[in-house]
Amino acid sequence: MVFPEKFLWGGATAANQCEGAYDTAGKGLSLVDILPAAKENREYALFHPKEAMQKEYSYYPSHESIDFYHHYKEDIKLLAEMGYRVFRMSLSWPRIFPNGDDAEPNEAGLKFYDDVFAECQKYGIEPLVTLNHFDTPLALFDKYNGWSDRSLIKLYVHYCETVLKRYRGKVHYWLTFNEINMILHIPFLGGGMDVNNVENSEQVKYQAAHHQLVASALVTKLAHEIDPENKVGCMLAAGQTYPYTCAPEDVFAAMQADRESYFFIDVQARGYYPSYAERVFANKDVTIEMAADDKKILREHTVDFISFSYYSSRLTSTDPEVKSKTAGNIFASLKNPYLKTSSWGWQTDALGLRITMNQIYDRYQKPLFVVENGLGEKDVLTEEHAVHDEYRIAYLKDNIKEMGEAIADGVECWGYTSWGCIDLVSAGSGEMSKRYGYIYVDRDDNGNGSLRRYKKDSFNWYTKVIASNGQLL
Ligand code: P53
């Protein structure tokens, strides 16, 4: 297995799922701060945010989460111990602009990330920063219905300009929007909006997507102007869609499903709407309102690299009889009989990562960055404070091996940050018990626990992987 010499090994987190301190030092509420725990409540809130806001739930996991806000020194030290070269994290927009449209930033919020970056620098860890990971300021949901309103472009660009200037030289890798295609599936998390009582929800979602695409291009421009060393990436929730059978109808349906996601990257990487968009929009009765300069901005400021999350491949069929959907995953996907399934119903497909990487690279010929990958599973902390997570090691080993194969196939890939390197709150379910980390955090689904950190078996395994640059898997 030959990984490039400077391959960036590391792990990934997001502010909304690990920081906690939800109202500390001037932070405003974010979208996720109104999401309760317990699967059914959370799903209801994700798709009925207005109604959920009227209710009072007993527990909101983001409010304390794993309290990274107060533990970041200890946590980054552990990441350094594993030999991390990169740490993917996100900035909380409402920690810096509590209402999203404040004239001046909150200095305490900015200072917190100065401290976090200083800690990374101490160990030679390069931060990879997501500017918006599911935590748009809640006030912008109230006031504008989020990204459905064009005003969000200006507000987001103002926030990004503030942090690009502040952290100039401390951060070189930026992602504009986490899983930008998620706006079609969970419009509240992706776009800070409720699309329930609108005439044509597709119209609202694609118009909001257009606003994000323009905002992403404007921020790419700014990032390059502020520091020519900056590298800006887009971020896709990826996973190749397979046809259920070799029936041409199934093959075509699989292609269409992938285009729904690639649509976003087509614009961010190539600089213009793909040729198939017109027909898709006509079928959905969507007309995108554009400002005079939008097309020019999109064309001139494409991304430097393409990052993506990969958990599994997807499967589609046109046969109404084939209905055994996988549990758990927000992306409607059929159960693939050739694949194993996790306790949360997510399927494991390491070769699918190689397929996906080749597919994306063939399509865009820009460097890739695997910024999420991993297995969410229940872990058991033994009396000796050990966690024997050989299932996680097996998942990661197989996926890293296939990533190596994709590189050997000719794909340029800059790095790998597995998801939830330290246990954190699940975005989909709000649970702590769906764990991805190399580091166990003592906290349960109801918010009980000491918050102590413990190394899992996978911690030692990943340390060796990095030290050997992927030779020892
Ligand atoms: P969790 C599905 C549903 C929600 C978020 O997911 C998702 C996906 C991916 O298919 O995206 C990412 O926590 C996301 C992370 C998230 C991770 O997947 O539901 O970028 O924030 O935690 C894992 O198990």
Side-chain angles (χ1 to χ4, degrees):
M1 207 54 49
V2 180
F3 288 93
E5 208 187 311
K6 292 199 172 137
F7 193 73
L8 292 166
W9 295 99
T13 59
N16 82 85
Q17 287 161 262
C18 72
E19 281 181 6
Y22 80 111
D23 63 355
T24 302
K27 178 182 169 292
L29 290 182
S30 87
L31 302 173
V32 294
D33 293 330
I34 62 136
L35 297 178
K39 201 168 181 286
E40 315 73 54
N41 288 343
R42 193 166 181 99
E43 252 164 43
Y44 177 78
L46 280 172
F47 295 101
H48 303 87
K50 280 204 187 107
E51 290 82 353
M53 277 173 76
Q54 305 307 317
K55 300 188 185 209
E56 209 170 298
Y57 294 99
S58 55
Y59 177 53
Y60 296 89
S62 73
H63 291 193
E64 284 180 44
S65 189
I66 60 157
D67 197 25
F68 176 79
Y69 187 84
H70 294 107
H71 289 74
Y72 70 92
K73 284 191 180 168
E74 172 190 354
D75 292 345
I76 293 170
K77 186 165 185 260
L78 284 165
L79 306 182
E81 215 182 296
M82 277 186 273
Y84 279 29
R85 301 171 187 172
V86 63
F87 173 42
R88 178 178 177 225
M89 51 174 278
S90 75
L91 305 180
S92 159
W93 182 357
R95 199 177 283 294
I96 295 169
F97 287 94
N99 301 295
D101 57 2
D102 317 73
E104 295 301 325
N106 170 30
E107 177 55 31
L110 289 169
K111 168 79 171 51
F112 170 64
Y113 297 109
D114 277 332
D115 297 345
V116 170
F117 296 141
E119 212 56 28
C120 289
Q121 204 183 12
K122 195 160 124 189
Y123 301 107
I125 298 174
E126 187 83 46
L128 165 59
V129 172
T130 316
L131 289 155
N132 187 218
H133 193 132
F134 299 160
D135 58 359
T136 296
L138 188 64
L140 300 181
F141 168 66
D142 290 334
K143 201 161 162 186
Y144 300 96
N145 200 25
W147 282 92
S148 67
D149 193 309
R150 196 175 165 100
S151 314
L152 270 271
I153 299 180
K154 202 174 71 236
L155 300 173
Y156 173 78
V157 170
H158 179 52
Y159 149 64
C160 291
E161 184 172 5
T162 307
V163 299
L164 284 163
K165 286 186 173 154
R166 174 85 171 210
Y167 307 124
R168 183 178 182 277
K170 296 181 179 174
V171 179
H172 303 100
Y173 295 92
W174 305 89
L175 305 178
T176 49
F177 292 95
N178 181 62
E179 295 190 334
I180 190 162
N181 51 323
M182 195 60 95
I183 198 169
L184 301 178
H185 304 275
I186 318 180
F188 181 63
L189 281 189
M193 56 191 188
D194 186 326
V195 298
N196 286 319
N197 297 311
V198 299
E199 206 181 296
N200 178 0
S201 62
E202 297 289 340
Q203 169 68 36
V204 179
K205 287 193 276 185
Y206 277 103
Q207 185 64 51
H210 177 70
H211 297 150
Q212 291 194 341
L213 291 167
V214 172
S216 175
L218 287 169
V219 168
T220 305
K221 173 176 188 275
L222 267 175
H224 290 149
E225 284 168 2
I226 290 169
D227 185 352
E229 299 275 294
N230 276 334
K231 304 280 182 220
V232 185
C234 52
M235 199 305 199
L236 171 76
Q240 176 93 8
T241 307
Y242 301 156
Y244 195 78
T245 70
C246 52
E249 289 79 7
D250 281 356
V251 176
F252 190 71
M255 187 184 81
Q256 296 285 69
D258 277 341
R259 277 179 163 179
E260 197 176 87
S261 296
Y262 285 135
F263 161 77
F264 295 85
I265 311 307
D266 284 354
V267 179
Q268 290 175 296
R270 295 168 172 161
Y272 51 89
Y273 275 56
S275 47
Y276 56 83
E278 205 176 317
R279 190 167 195 185
V280 171
F281 290 159
N283 288 340
K284 295 179 189 287
D285 206 12
V286 166
T287 314
I288 304 291
E289 235 178 78
M290 293 203 194
D293 275 353
D294 285 3
K295 282 193 176 159
K296 186 168 176 279
I297 292 163
L298 294 176
R299 193 172 280 272
E300 288 177 0
H301 308 288
T302 54
V303 290
D304 303 309
F305 66 101
I306 292 156
S307 82
F308 62 91
S309 61
Y310 176 85
Y311 293 91
S312 182
S313 53
R314 298 163 194 158
L315 182 63
T316 191
S317 165
T318 48
D319 183 349
E321 298 287 300
V322 187
K323 283 250 185 266
S324 58
K325 284 195 174 177
T326 54
N329 203 330
I330 303 275
F331 283 99
S333 178
L334 303 172
K335 205 182 188 96
N336 184 331
Y338 298 96
L339 302 178
K340 276 201 229 132
T341 303
S342 78
S343 311
W344 270 268
W346 291 30
Q347 297 195 288
T348 296
D349 180 9
L351 182 54
L353 175 58
R354 179 177 176 186
I355 296 169
T356 301
M357 289 178 73
N358 274 285
Q359 181 76 11
I360 300 177
Y361 194 68
D362 278 356
R363 199 173 174 111
Y364 305 114
Q365 281 113 47
K366 292 206 180 198
L368 307 188
F369 209 129
V370 185
V371 296
E372 282 185 36
N373 176 241
L375 179 70
E377 267 299 348
K378 282 209 159 70
D379 287 334
V380 179
L381 185 69
T382 68
E383 278 179 21
E384 296 76 39
H385 296 139
V387 177
H388 303 303
D389 57 344
E390 66 289 337
Y391 37 90
R392 181 167 297 106
I393 295 173
Y395 177 103
L396 293 167
K397 187 186 283 192
D398 290 350
N399 276 263
I400 291 174
K401 191 171 155 288
E402 294 300 338
M403 171 173 66
E405 293 293 345
I407 293 170
D409 291 335
V411 172
E412 184 180 354
C413 181
W414 285 353
Y416 176 83
T417 57
S418 63
W419 176 248
C421 47
I422 178 163
D423 291 346
L424 37 65
V425 176
S426 154
S429 74
E431 292 159 299
M432 259 316 291
S433 53
K434 191 180 185 190
R435 297 171 184 275
Y436 288 85
Y438 305 104
I439 301 162
Y440 184 94
V441 179
D442 177 23
R443 187 167 174 88
D444 69 14
D445 291 341
N446 305 310
N448 307 308
S450 65
L451 287 174
R452 273 202 202 103
R453 276 70 167 147
Y454 300 102
K455 296 173 193 171
K456 302 182 193 177
D457 288 355
S458 55
F459 184 103
N460 298 324
W461 170 79
Y462 197 45
T463 306
K464 284 191 202 124
V465 172
I466 298 177
S468 66
N469 200 31
Q471 296 304 303
L472 290 178
L473 285 178

